[in-house]
Every structure is written in C-alpha cells, then in structure tokens.
Amino acid sequence: MFYSEFDSFEAWSALLAPQLPDVTICRADQVADADSVQFALAWKPPRGFFAPYRQLKLLVNLGAGVDSLVGRDDLPDIPIVRLSDPDMARMMAGYVLFAVLRYARDIPAFERAQRERRWHYLHPREPASIRVGVLGLGELGAYAARELARQGFDVRGWSRSPKALDGIHCVSGAQALDAFLASSDILVVMLPLTPQTHGLLDAQRLARLPPGCALINVSRGAIVDQPALTAALQSGQIAHATLDVFDREPLPPDDALWGMENVLITPHLASVAIPASAARQVADNIQRVMRGEPVLNQVFPARGY
C-alpha cells in the first residue's frame, strides 16, 4: 500500500513491481481488503491512518527524516525503516556545497553589484581560512562534511554523541555546543528534529555565532527559533542565510524572510527521495520481512531517529 501526497505512485510502482512479482502494489485509497495489506510505503500519513491495517508487517518511511512520525501514538508495533539512499546523500551534499561556496566566494555581493550595474572586485579567500560548522553528523551530515573538507574548508562537526571523521574536527555533547557555534563562520544545520533538538538554536545560541556569519538550514525549520533568526538577520548579527526548511511550510507569503535580500529561500528540496535509486532498498527490506530476516535502516520514532 502506497500513501504520499508528494511522491509519484506511478514511478514507485513501476520500479517496485519487477522486483516484487508476488506483491500487489496499490494506492491507499484503492485498498479493497485492509487485512490483506502487509507492507506500507508512506510519507506523512495522517493521524489514525494505520488503524484499519491490522496485518501490517513493515512500514517504509519514504524519506530519510522521520520527524513526521515522532510523538505519534497511532503507529503499529512493527519495524519502521527509512530510506538510506546514496543518491539522496549526494544531492544533499551538492546543495550544501553550493550554499557554502556561494558565501565563501562572496556571490551575494556580486549579485547585488550586478543589480546596481557596478563592477565590484573582491579577492577570493582561501577555503582553509573559512570555518564551516556542520551541526549534526548523521549519514547526511557526515557525507556533506566530508565533501566540504575535500574542497579545503576548515570543517568542524558537532554531534550528540562522539563521532570521528578524517580531516574534520569533531566535538560532541551539550557542553561543547556554544564553543562550536562561536567557531563557525558558516553554520550548516543538519540535525534530525527530535524533542531534544526542537528549538535548539534559540536567540541565545544564535547570538553565540560570530558576528557577520552565514547560516544554512537543510534539516527542519523547528530546530531554529525562526523569529530569533529573522531578528538576527535584520540586525546583521547573522549576515546571510540559505533556508530550505521553515516552521511552517509553505512559508506564509507575509513572512518577513521573503523580502530580505540577505536570505535565499528554497522550497524544501535540498534532498528528496529518488525512486530510481531507492526502490531496490525498499524491495530488499520487504523481501527480508517475507523471509523472516532483520530489516536494514530501522528507525525508532520514540527516539526521533
């Protein structure tokens, strides 16, 4: 059974059908017998969605983030897996690299000069002189951090528990967060949204960032106090921001962020599930359940990841 208001049923079913010849794939609104449904592929299902499906054996979350499942009391007691697709990681790293390079090479200043028909030269900076902090070193964060390090940036990473990545100065734990923020000329937010990370970057923590820094958020909007971020951008404490995620999506038309020249807004597309590359792992997990084997990439919504 497939449910998503954002993903293509036709694309997913066309790719999964040859790999699962003994499984019937249909939309949620086409299910004739709820007790025949054993596997669910879903993205942001509504509350109470799973109640009719008493024979479910596996829930596949059609994305890497599982925050839409966190805090729910209506989830079935079955394995839940997320997509862990190298193409999604590459897509995310490409977006992050674009955003970091845009600030490292002072592109906003040249865009502004072009609008003013003004020849404006700024000498390029050495990447090693720019401190890039990656807040969150999970699968996507670690991939992006490594890509930034390959480009020669001074990359630092923060995670809840200790991590070790070659060429990246890694710190962990709440006691290291303030110093990490203070040493980030460009901060890239890549944490999962959990009860512990909700509102983590409040006004006080945003004030720890170096004056004139840049902030890039590709994780979830609720990790950052959006009014505090807006105020910091208006005052110049934070000079620039690239924002792919927001408290409310779509971002309301009257939000002040829309009119700010120092903000680049994109509609939550830094990394999306790609059926052509992810279908194989979805089929693999379904086949594992059919054979009675452990699944891969299992998540635990109670933990938030």
Side-chain angles (χ1 to χ4, degrees):
M1 173 189 62
F2 181 95
Y3 175 86
S4 174
E5 296 182 0
F6 304 92
D7 301 279
S8 168
F9 168 75
E10 290 75 17
W12 278 100
S13 59
L15 290 161
L16 287 171
Q19 303 182 59
L20 299 168
D22 298 325
V23 176
T24 300
I25 306 167
C26 66
R27 299 179 189 271
D29 58 7
Q30 297 174 334
V31 173
D33 177 11
D35 284 343
S36 69
V37 176
Q38 298 183 47
F39 312 104
L41 284 66
W43 179 247
K44 296 187 175 181
R47 294 276 174 175
F49 175 81
F50 299 102
Y53 307 107
R54 296 171 293 183
Q55 303 303 318
L56 271 182
K57 297 178 181 178
L58 177 69
L59 168 58
V60 178
N61 183 66
L62 288 174
V66 295
D67 50 285
S68 65
L69 303 179
V70 173
R72 295 180 60 151
D73 57 7
D74 65 335
L75 296 178
D77 186 19
I78 59 173
I80 300 174
V81 299
R82 65 176 179 86
L83 298 187
S84 177
D85 179 6
D87 281 359
M88 290 179 67
R90 279 191 288 272
M91 184 184 294
M92 176 65 82
Y95 183 101
V96 169
L97 181 58
F98 145 76
V100 168
L101 285 172
R102 183 168 176 265
Y103 296 129
R105 293 301 306 267
D106 298 305
I107 300 302
F110 302 133
E111 292 171 338
R112 185 165 54 253
Q114 180 179 342
R115 289 193 297 270
E116 298 170 357
R117 297 173 180 265
R118 176 171 49 88
W119 190 265
H120 180 60
Y121 182 86
L122 290 173
H123 197 73
R125 292 174 285 170
E126 287 289 331
S129 71
I130 301 171
R131 302 170 298 177
V132 182
V134 179
L135 185 64
L137 295 174
E139 182 178 353
L140 298 183
Y143 196 113
R146 292 188 182 99
E147 185 59 41
L148 292 166
R150 276 195 289 270
Q151 298 297 323
F153 291 103
D154 178 359
V155 183
R156 295 104 186 277
W158 182 92
S159 55
R160 184 179 59 86
S161 55
K163 298 284 179 69
L165 299 174
D166 288 345
I168 297 162
H169 178 63
C170 299
V171 298
S172 61
Q175 74 284 351
L177 182 56
D178 283 353
F180 167 79
L181 294 174
S183 68
S184 298
D185 300 317
I186 301 175
L187 179 69
V188 185
V189 184
M190 303 196 71
L191 288 168
L193 180 60
T194 70
Q196 291 72 39
T197 64
H198 191 284
L200 180 70
L201 295 180
D202 56 13
Q204 182 178 2
R205 287 204 171 98
L206 290 174
R208 301 283 186 185
L209 291 164
C213 69
L215 184 145
I216 299 162
N217 190 359
V218 292
S219 56
R220 291 296 184 267
I223 294 172
V224 183
D225 181 330
Q226 193 163 302
L229 173 61
T230 302
L233 285 161
Q234 290 170 333
S235 71
Q237 162 64 24
I238 296 176
H240 299 280
T242 295
L243 305 175
D244 187 55
V245 291
F246 304 88
D247 276 347
R248 290 175 58 193
E249 295 180 3
L251 184 66
D254 60 351
D255 195 286
L257 290 169
W258 284 113
M260 302 178 71
E261 286 195 0
N262 57 344
V263 177
L264 175 63
I265 291 171
T266 56
H268 203 148
L269 48 63
S271 182
V272 298
I274 304 171
S277 57
R280 177 63 259 168
Q281 65 177 268
V282 172
D284 181 47
N285 266 325
I286 289 174
Q287 291 163 340
R288 284 173 173 273
V289 171
M290 295 172 71
R291 295 192 299 262
E293 299 174 2
V295 295
L296 301 177
N297 305 311
Q298 185 169 359
V299 296
F300 303 90
R303 301 179 191 169
Y305 53 91

